[in-house]
C-alpha cells in the first residue's frame, strides 16, 4: 500500500482529515509537527510561499519518499461562471503569478473529479480575479516546486475546494471546517484510489536485497567497479530468474586476505549469477 | 504492458503549445477528442521535458502534445538507421514517441516522456522535403525519406492522419521515395488512399514468440500479415523488415519456422525488398531504458560497444547475417536484401 502525504496550508483544512483518519500528533523537530497513522501523514505548512519552502522543504529532506504520493488539499478562490462553491477540483496546471512559471502535474488515474487550472498568488484576491484563469490559491506552485525535487510528477496531486468567488478573504476555522468536512467522502475515495493504485513502482532491489549487497561489499572488500558489476549481475538475476539469491549469504562468512582472493570469489559469484 | 486498472485512457489530456492550434491538423486532432482536457502551454518542452516523469507509468496513460516544429525538419541518416543502400537517405520526425511499447526500441530510453508530440506545421516539413529533393547529392537516385522513424506513424493514423498527408504529398513530387515503417495492422485506414510508386510501406515482422515477449501492445503476427496482404492486393510497394532479429533461445529454429510460414502466407514475389537488422541501441538510451524497466532480460545480455552503440557480438551478428541471408535468398535476389 502506498504512503500518502497530505499537505494543507491551514490547520483548519487539516482538522477534518486528522479526525477522519485518527492521525496522531508527532514532532519532526521542536517547531515542526505533523500528524500520522499507518500509511497516512498530514503536514500543515502555514500560508504562503515562505512558510511552505521552510516547513515542507525541511520535512521532505528527511522523509523516505520512494513509495509516497503527495496530496495538497485546501480551499481556493474560484470564478463564478466556471466553478461552484463547495466543489472539489483536480488541478492540471499550476501557474506562479509571481514568476509566470507553469507546473504540470501528471494526471494518470481516473479520479472522476473535474479538472481546472490554478494560479498561485502572493496576496489574497478580492477583486473577482478577472485576470486569472481557473482557481487561485497561495501555495500550490511553491509546493510543486519544492516537492518535485523529491517525487515524480505523477505522484503530486493537487485538490482544491472552491470557498469563495474571489470577493472576500475566507480563512477562519468556522468558514473552512464545513467546506472541508463536506468533501471528506470524495477525499476518502481518492485516498483509497491512490493508496491501492499501481502508480508507485517498487524498485527491483528491495531493502533486503540492498542490505545483502552492502554486506557483501563490506565482507569481500569489493572495488567500486566490482560493486557496480555485482549490483548489475544481481539485478539481471532477479529480472531474468527470480528474486531468491539467498545463496549469496554463504559468501558473508568468507575472509578476504588478498586481491587475488577477492577476484577469485568475485568471479565465482558472477559466474553463479550469470549461469 | 497495458493492463493497469484505474488509469485514464490514452489522450485524456491534450497539451497545446502556443501557436499550434491554428494549424488544420491540430484542429482536426482536437476534434477527434472532444472529451479530452485541453491544457495550453508556452512550449511543448514545458511538459515533454519536465523532470521527474515516469516513462513506464505514462505508457499506461499516454497523452498528446500538439506543437510547432522548429528547424531542422529533416535529419541525416545515423549509423543505426537502415538506408537499404540508398545514398540520399534522410529521416523526419512529424511525431515523437510511439503508441507501441517495444522493449528493444531506442525510444525506451530516448525521451524523458512517454507522451506523444505531434508537430502540426506539416507544410514546413513538406517544404523542407521539396528542398532536400532539389539538393540531394546523387541525382540518379531519389531522396529516400523515412517518416516513421521515432514512432509508428501508421499505428497512429486513426488519431493523427500523418500517413495520408505524406502520401498525398509524395504523390505530387518526383524523385522522392518515402518509407513508412510499421508494425500496425491498421491498413484499413489507407483503404481509400491511392497507392503510389513514391511510397514504400515497410512492415516489421517477428515470430509470435518475439512479439509476445518484447513487442508490447503491438498487433499479433497474423494481423500484420493480413495487413501486408491487403497492401499488396491494393498495389502498394511493400518492404519486409526483420529488424531486430532477437537472439532468443533456439533463435535459428524459431526464425526458421517463422520465415517458412511467412513465405507460405504471402505472395513473396510481389514484395519490393527485405531488410534485416539486429538489436542495437545507443549506450545512453540503453542505460536509461534499463533504469526505467529493469525487469526486461534484454538489458542483461552481453553486448559489444562500438561508437557508443551497444549491439550483439560480432560473432553472433555474423551468424544472424548468414542464417537470414540463406533463408531470404530462397525468395529474393541478393540486391533486394539489405542486411545491417
Amino acid at each position: 500500500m502506498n504512503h500518502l502525504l497530505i499537505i494543507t496550508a491551514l490547520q483548519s483544512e487539516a482538522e477534518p482529515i486528522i479526525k477522519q483518519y485518527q492521525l496522531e500528533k508527532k514532532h519532526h523537530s521542536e517547531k515542526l509537527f505533523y500528524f500520522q497513522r499507518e500509511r497516512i501523514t498530514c503536514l500543515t505548512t502555514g500560508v504562503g510561499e515562505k512558510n511552505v519552502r521552510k516547513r515542507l522543504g525541511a520535512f521532505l529532506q528527511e522523509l523516505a519518499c520512494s513509495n509516497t504520493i503527495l496530496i495538497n488539499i485546501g480551499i481556493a478562490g474560484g470564478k463564478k461562471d466556471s466553478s461552484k462553491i463547495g466543489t472539489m477540483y483536480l488541478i492540471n496546471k499550476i501557474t506562479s503569478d509571481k514568476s509566470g512559471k507553469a507546473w504540470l502535474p501528471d494526471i494518470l488515474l481516473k479520479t472522476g473529479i473535474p479538472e481546472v487550472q490554478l494560479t498561485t498568488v502572493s496576496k489574497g484576491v478580492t477583486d473577482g480575479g478577472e485576470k486569472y484563469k481557473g482557481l487561485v490559491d497561495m501555495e500550490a506552485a511553491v509546493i510543486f516546486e519544492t516537492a518535485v525535487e523529491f517525487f515524480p510528477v505523477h505522484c503530486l496531486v493537487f485538490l482544491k475546494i472552491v470557498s469563495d468567488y474571489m470577493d472576500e478573504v475566507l480563512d477562519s476555522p468556522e468558514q473552512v471546517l464545513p467546506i472541508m468536512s463536506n468533501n471528506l467522502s470524495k477525499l476518502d475515495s481518492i485516498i483509497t484510489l491512490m493508496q491501492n493504485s499501481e502508480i508507485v513502482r517498487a524498485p527491483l532491489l528491495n531493502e533486503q536485497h540492498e542490505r545483502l549487497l552492502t554486506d557483501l561489499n563490506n565482507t569481500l572488500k569489493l572495488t567500486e567497479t566490482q560493486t557496480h558489476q555485482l549490483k548489475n549481475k544481481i539485478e539481471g538475476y532477479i529480472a531474468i530468474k527470480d528474486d531468491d539469491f539467498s545463496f549469496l549469504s554463504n559468501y558473508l562468512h568468507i575472509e578476504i586476505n588478498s586481491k587475488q582472493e577477492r577476484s577469485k570469489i568475485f568471479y565465482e559469484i558472477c559466474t553463479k549469477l550469470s549461469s | 504492458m497495458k493492463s493497469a486498472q484505474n488509469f485514464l485512457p490514452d489522450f485524456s489530456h491534450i497539451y497545446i503549445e502556443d501557436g499550434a492550434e491554428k494549424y488544420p491538423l491540430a484542429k482536426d486532432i482536437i476534434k477527434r477528442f472532444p472529451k479530452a482536457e485541453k491544457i495550453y502551454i508556452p512550449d511543448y518542452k514545458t511538459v515533454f521535458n519536465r523532470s521527474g516523469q515516469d516513462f513506464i507509468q505514462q505508457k499506461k496513460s499516454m497523452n498528446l502534445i500538439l506543437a510547432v516544429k522548429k528547424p531542422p525538419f529533416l535529419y541525416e541518416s545515423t549509423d543505426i538507421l537502415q538506408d537499404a543502400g540508398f545514398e540520399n537517405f534522410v529521416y523526419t520526425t512529424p511525431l515523437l514517441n510511439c503508441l507501441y511499447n517495444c522493449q528493444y526500441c531506442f525510444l525506451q530510453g530516448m525521451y524523458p516522456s512517454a507522451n506523444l508530440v505531434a508537430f502540426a506545421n506539416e507544410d514546413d516539413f513538406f517544404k523542407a522535403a521539396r528542398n532536400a529533393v532539389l539538393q540531394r547529392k546523387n541525382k540518379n537516385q531519389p531522396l529516400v525519406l523515412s517518416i516513421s522513424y521515432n514512432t509508428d506513424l501508421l499505428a497512429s493514423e486513426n488519431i493523427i492522419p500523418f500517413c495520408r498527408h505524406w502520401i498525398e504529398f509524395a504523390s505530387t513530387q518526383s524523385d522522392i521515395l518515402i518509407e513508412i515503417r510499421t508494425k500496425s495492422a491498421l491498413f484499413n485506414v489507407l483503404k481509400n488512399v491511392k497507392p503510389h510508386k513514391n511510397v514504400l510501406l515497410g512492415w516489421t515482422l517477428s515470430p509470435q514468440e518475439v512479439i509476445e515477449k518484447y513487442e508490447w501492445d503491438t498487433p499479433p503476427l497474423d494481423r500484420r500479415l493480413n495487413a501486408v496482404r491487403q497492401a499488396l492486393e491494393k498495389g502498394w510497394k511493400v518492404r519486409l523488415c526483420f529488424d531486430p532479429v532477437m537472439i532468443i533461445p533456439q533463435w535459428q529454429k524459431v526464425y526458421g519456422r517463422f520465415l517458412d510460414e511467412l513465405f507460405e502466407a504471402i505472395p513473396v514475389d510481389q514484395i519490393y525488398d527485405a531488410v534485416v537488422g539486429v538489436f542495437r541501441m545507443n549506450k545512453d538510451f540503453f542505460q536509461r531504458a534499463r533504469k526505467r524497466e529493469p525487469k526486461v532480460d534484454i538489458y542483461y545480455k552481453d553486448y559489444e560497444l562500438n561508437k557508443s552503440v551497444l549491439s550483439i557480438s560480432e560473432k553472433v551478428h555474423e551468424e544472424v547475417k548468414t542464417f537470414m541471408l540463406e533463408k531470404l535468398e530462397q525468395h529474393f535476389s541478393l540486391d533486394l536484401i539489405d542486411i545491417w
Side-chain angles (χ1 to χ4, degrees):
Chain A
M1 191 185 273
N2 302 322
H3 170 231
L4 292 185
L5 173 60
I6 299 170
I7 305 293
T8 68
L10 302 169
Q11 190 58 31
S12 52
E13 290 168 331
E15 281 304 334
I17 299 166
I18 293 165
K19 201 173 161 193
Q20 166 96 348
Y21 298 103
Q22 298 171 25
L23 307 183
E24 291 169 358
K25 191 173 182 177
K26 294 185 178 178
H27 279 272
H28 175 270
S29 61
E30 201 182 322
K31 288 184 179 171
L32 183 58
F33 60 87
Y34 60 99
F35 294 83
Q36 188 176 46
R37 179 181 288 274
E38 293 167 357
R39 307 297 290 164
I40 298 177
T41 303
C42 184
L43 174 74
T44 297
T45 60
V47 176
E49 179 178 343
K50 206 173 155 187
N51 283 322
V52 172
R53 281 197 199 285
K54 194 174 153 192
R55 294 188 185 163
L56 182 61
F59 192 78
L60 294 181
Q61 285 291 349
E62 288 178 30
L63 180 78
C65 301
S66 64
N67 64 341
T68 301
I69 296 167
L70 181 149
I71 299 178
N72 169 223
I73 185 165
I75 56 167
K79 290 212 166 163
K80 218 171 196 169
D81 55 353
S82 57
S83 64
K84 201 174 157 193
I85 287 177
T87 298
M88 181 190 281
Y89 293 91
L90 180 63
I91 305 304
N92 57 27
K93 180 182 177 184
I94 301 161
T95 307
S96 163
D97 194 38
K98 193 171 149 190
S99 68
K101 191 164 180 182
W103 304 96
L104 296 148
D106 227 350
I107 298 171
L108 303 180
L109 294 181
K110 288 178 196 163
T111 62
I113 307 285
E115 289 184 32
V116 70
Q117 62 174 293
L118 170 140
T119 304
T120 295
V121 295
S122 309
K123 284 182 182 169
V125 180
T126 52
D127 64 356
E130 273 309 305
K131 68 178 211 179
Y132 300 110
K133 286 178 186 165
L135 311 186
V136 165
D137 87 334
M138 294 180 72
E139 294 83 22
V142 68
I143 289 173
F144 197 113
E145 190 179 1
T146 307
V148 80
E149 300 292 324
F150 300 88
F151 297 89
V153 281
H154 71 282
C155 291
L156 300 176
V157 180
F158 292 80
L159 297 167
K160 296 290 163 180
I161 303 163
V162 172
S163 58
D164 57 79
Y165 290 131
M166 293 187 252
D167 48 6
E168 60 177 323
V169 173
L170 191 151
D171 56 7
S172 72
E174 294 76 28
Q175 293 165 312
V176 175
L177 280 168
I179 293 171
M180 294 298 294
S181 299
N182 288 342
N183 278 280
L184 273 180
S185 64
K186 262 186 195 164
L187 177 63
D188 189 55
S189 66
I190 291 173
I191 284 177
T192 306
L193 172 71
M194 297 292 166
Q195 280 188 322
N196 298 304
S197 74
E198 297 170 13
I199 205 152
V200 179
R201 289 190 298 146
L204 191 60
L205 299 188
N206 61 30
E207 279 176 27
Q208 201 183 340
H209 298 144
E210 292 282 5
R211 212 167 26 245
L212 179 58
L213 186 61
T214 308
D215 292 346
L216 277 170
N217 286 341
N218 293 337
T219 307
L220 304 176
K221 299 170 186 163
L222 299 178
T223 64
E224 206 172 311
T225 307
Q226 285 172 331
T227 305
H228 181 73
Q229 286 172 336
L230 180 61
K231 189 175 182 193
N232 191 7
K233 289 280 179 194
I234 289 176
E235 284 179 344
Y237 187 86
I238 293 174
I240 297 165
K241 294 181 176 171
D242 57 48
D243 64 353
D244 181 17
F245 54 85
S246 51
F247 63 89
L248 290 181
S249 305
N250 298 335
Y251 292 95
L252 293 175
H253 311 293
I254 289 175
E255 196 175 324
I256 299 291
N257 294 310
S258 68
K259 279 185 184 176
Q260 285 77 12
E261 275 182 29
R262 178 179 66 193
S263 298
K264 191 182 158 210
I265 296 293
F266 179 71
Y267 180 76
E268 189 182 307
I269 292 174
C270 288
T271 307
K272 279 188 182 173
L273 287 169
S274 301
S275 63
Chain B
M1 276 176 264
K2 286 207 167 191
S3 59
Q5 283 186 333
N6 299 322
F7 277 70
L8 286 161
D10 288 339
F11 314 124
S12 59
H13 292 74
I14 298 180
Y15 295 92
I16 305 166
E17 182 183 88
D18 288 347
E21 205 172 13
K22 69 178 184 199
Y23 291 95
L25 179 68
K27 287 179 184 161
D28 180 16
I29 295 168
I30 291 166
K31 219 185 284 174
R32 291 170 195 237
F33 295 96
K35 288 182 181 168
E37 293 287 342
K38 290 186 276 296
I39 301 165
Y40 292 86
I41 48 173
D43 187 297
Y44 82 90
K45 290 171 185 164
T46 315
V47 62
F48 193 63
N49 288 358
R50 277 174 300 177
S51 58
Q53 294 179 86
D54 187 322
F55 185 90
I56 305 298
Q57 299 292 16
Q58 286 179 333
K59 268 285 180 194
K60 297 173 189 166
S61 173
M62 287 181 279
N63 286 319
L64 185 59
I65 304 166
L66 299 176
V68 181
K69 178 86 169 85
K70 295 172 187 72
F73 295 96
L74 305 181
Y75 300 90
E76 294 291 320
S77 178
T78 68
D79 283 349
I80 56 174
L81 237 172
Q82 288 168 324
D83 57 18
F86 286 101
E87 287 179 37
N88 309 310
F89 188 93
V90 290
Y91 72 93
T92 188
T93 57
L95 186 65
L96 307 182
N97 269 331
C98 187
L99 285 178
Y100 299 148
N101 196 6
C102 300
Q103 295 304 298
Y104 53 66
C105 179
F106 60 86
L107 289 175
Q108 293 295 331
M110 187 171 188
Y111 297 122
S113 173
N115 293 327
L116 268 64
V117 181
F119 293 111
N121 50 329
E122 292 177 291
D123 285 339
D124 293 330
F125 285 82
F126 297 150
K127 192 177 165 191
R130 275 192 290 268
N131 285 338
V133 169
L134 295 174
Q135 288 163 16
R136 72 193 191 280
K137 286 174 196 158
N138 184 346
K139 296 282 195 277
N140 295 319
Q141 286 189 5
L143 178 85
V144 179
L145 173 58
S146 167
I147 64 167
S148 192
Y149 176 54
N150 287 11
T151 186
D152 189 316
L153 225 47
L154 191 59
S156 324
E157 189 69 10
N158 268 337
I159 307 159
I160 312 160
F162 274 132
C163 290
R164 175 182 290 268
H165 295 171
W166 273 99
I167 292 166
E168 284 165 2
F169 164 76
S171 305
T172 63
Q173 306 296 307
S174 52
D175 299 316
I176 193 167
L177 178 64
I178 65 165
E179 187 204 31
I180 305 173
R181 199 174 283 202
T182 187
K183 294 186 178 94
S184 175
L186 259 184
F187 179 73
N188 262 345
V189 289
L190 296 182
K191 70 179 178 193
N192 297 325
V193 179
K194 218 172 142 194
H196 197 277
K197 64 180 175 52
N198 290 355
V199 179
L200 180 57
L201 301 178
W203 262 276
T204 297
L205 303 174
S206 302
Q208 188 58 31
E209 293 93 318
V210 171
I211 292 173
E212 283 166 17
K213 193 165 186 199
Y214 300 119
E215 297 178 358
W216 299 0
D217 306 329
T218 66
L221 179 61
D222 58 346
R223 289 188 53 215
R224 289 187 215 177
L225 289 180
N226 201 29
V228 168
R229 278 190 294 264
Q230 286 179 57
L232 289 170
E233 275 166 24
K234 287 271 181 184
W236 290 89
K237 277 183 184 172
V238 172
R239 165 178 283 170
L240 298 185
C241 310
F242 308 103
D243 184 20
V245 172
M246 294 301 289
I247 309 304
I248 55 173
Q250 296 188 294
W251 67 267
Q252 291 101 327
K253 196 174 162 191
V254 171
Y255 275 87
R257 193 177 59 231
F258 154 68
L259 290 169
D260 291 342
E261 287 171 8
L262 168 69
F263 294 129
E264 286 287 315
I266 56 165
V268 66
D269 55 316
Q270 292 173 34
I271 297 295
Y272 180 76
D273 66 3
V275 296
V276 178
V278 293
F279 173 78
R280 57 207 181 273
M281 198 187 287
N282 170 288
K283 189 185 163 211
D284 294 337
F285 298 170
F286 181 92
Q287 282 168 346
R288 202 181 297 157
R290 195 180 94 159
K291 206 172 168 191
R292 286 172 175 174
E293 186 53 279
K295 288 188 177 173
V296 175
D297 64 3
I298 292 171
Y299 304 122
Y300 301 96
K301 307 216 166 160
D302 290 326
Y303 297 111
E304 286 180 1
L305 182 64
N306 186 15
K307 292 181 189 168
S308 298
V309 175
L310 286 165
S311 188
I312 58 172
S313 71
E314 197 48 46
K315 182 177 165 280
V316 182
H317 194 171
E318 285 306 318
E319 285 170 18
V320 172
K321 283 182 182 174
T322 308
F323 175 83
M324 291 300 286
L325 199 58
E326 196 179 296
K327 296 299 281 186
L328 294 176
E329 262 185 330
Q330 295 168 23
H331 303 280
F332 297 96
S333 63
L334 267 180
D335 60 320
L336 295 183
I337 306 167
D338 181 47
I339 298 195
W340 186 88

